[in-house]
Amino acid sequence: EAQVTQNPRYLITVTGKKLTVTCSQNMNHEYMSWYRQDPGLGLRQIYYSMNVEVTDKGDVPEGYKVSRKEKRNFPLILESPSPNQTSLYFCASRVPGTGGYEQYFGPGTRLTVT
Amino acid sequence: RKEVEQDPGPFNVPEGATVAFNCTYSNSASQSFFWYRQDCRKEPKLLMSVYSSGNEDGRFTAQLNRASQYISLLIRDSKLSDSATYLCVVNRGGYQKVTFGTGTKLQVIP
């Protein structure tokens, strides 16, 4: 089954404790992206990757890091989480290109930073 | 002004009704347009792409008006299962520059 998986699905952590949210896709997509979703603000892009070892900032990259060592995996790293990073996070993947293509989203990771 | 704006709703409509949502975008260079559906904080899923000539998929019709910079989604014969949040998505131009609207919530009532 074609899918995007994220782990963990739920996480409660404390300020400053480094964490990683994993994302993996089995569709051989070159393009992957991370979003956060907050009430009233919609989905906002954090980082995206056009291929292995190629990443770039989205609209809200501060406080986040990513890496793309393999095509299927695109982890999101919070080196020092803060309460304002409490949010619902989605990973997505799609075929590359500048046109319109369907994005496939993971099930989401609900993060709470206290 | 937000790049992509939607009426947040909620739109409460009876079963069988026809309902329409609009979405406006500010960047005239925007190239691609989509409607996604999101159920209760689950992952968004593509409902349909929006083409310049307009397109229809069953009970759903999407329209694009480039002159006025808006896209619309029409749902005919609403079903209870249509209850969800509908996200307008715009490719703002350039590689990977995608903006999501904040969504319009639809509640179909028996």
Side-chain angles (χ1 to χ4, degrees):
Chain A
E1 180 191 355
Q3 60 181 353
V4 179
T5 57
Q6 294 179 228
N7 281 292
R9 295 288 312 281
Y10 302 90
L11 179 61
I12 301 175
T13 189
V14 297
T15 299
K17 185 176 181 182
K18 181 179 178 179
L19 66 92
T20 299
V21 184
T22 64
C23 173
S24 184
Q25 51 93 5
N26 62 2
M27 294 168 279
N28 204 34
H29 287 165
E30 293 178 2
Y31 170 77
M32 298 185 73
S33 181
W34 275 103
Y35 296 87
R36 61 177 289 174
Q37 186 174 33
D38 303 287
L41 297 177
L43 278 92
R44 294 178 292 166
Q45 192 175 53
I46 303 171
Y47 269 94
Y48 63 90
S49 170
M50 290 178 278
N51 212 328
V52 175
E53 302 292 2
V54 182
T55 64
D56 206 349
K57 297 177 181 178
D59 295 318
V60 288
E62 295 77 21
Y64 305 95
K65 287 175 60 176
V66 292
S67 69
R68 188 87 183 276
K69 293 184 171 57
E70 306 167 278
K71 198 172 191 178
R72 63 182 291 125
N73 296 323
F74 189 43
L76 179 69
I77 303 155
L78 284 73
E79 297 256 346
S80 183
S82 62
N84 65 11
Q85 292 178 298
T86 292
S87 187
L88 177 59
Y89 291 86
F90 289 105
C91 179
S93 75
R94 70 164 172 82
V95 297
T98 58
Y101 297 95
E102 178 179 2
Q103 291 200 70
Y104 296 83
F105 285 83
T109 295
R110 190 172 295 277
L111 172 66
T112 301
V113 184
T114 61
Chain B
R1 181 185 175 187
K2 289 183 180 178
E3 290 196 54
V4 178
E5 293 201 68
Q6 295 182 251
D7 182 339
F11 284 58
N12 297 311
V13 303
E15 269 187 291
T18 295
V19 62
F21 309 135
N22 280 343
C23 167
T24 60
Y25 60 94
S26 61
N27 188 336
S28 58
S30 297
Q31 298 174 352
S32 311
F33 309 89
F34 310 88
W35 285 103
Y36 276 71
R37 171 190 170 131
Q38 186 175 26
D39 292 293
C40 199
R41 302 293 270 177
K42 292 191 175 179
E43 71 271 27
K45 293 184 179 178
L46 180 68
L47 179 66
M48 56 198 305
S49 301
V50 186
Y51 303 121
S52 297
S53 55
N55 48 302
E56 188 173 309
D57 182 2
R59 298 181 292 108
F60 299 84
T61 300
Q63 299 274 358
L64 167 63
N65 185 317
R66 285 192 183 272
S68 300
Q69 295 183 204
Y70 75 85
I71 66 173
S72 64
L73 176 68
L74 182 78
I75 305 175
R76 289 181 297 278
D77 188 22
S78 299
K79 312 290 185 191
L80 295 176
S81 56
D82 294 333
S83 298
T85 296
Y86 291 84
L87 307 175
C88 168
V89 183
V90 175
N91 179 325
R92 295 172 276 162
Y95 201 90
Q96 314 298 358
K97 293 185 185 298
V98 174
T99 300
F100 282 76
T102 53
T104 298
K105 186 173 182 178
L106 172 65
Q107 185 69 46
V108 181
I109 50 183

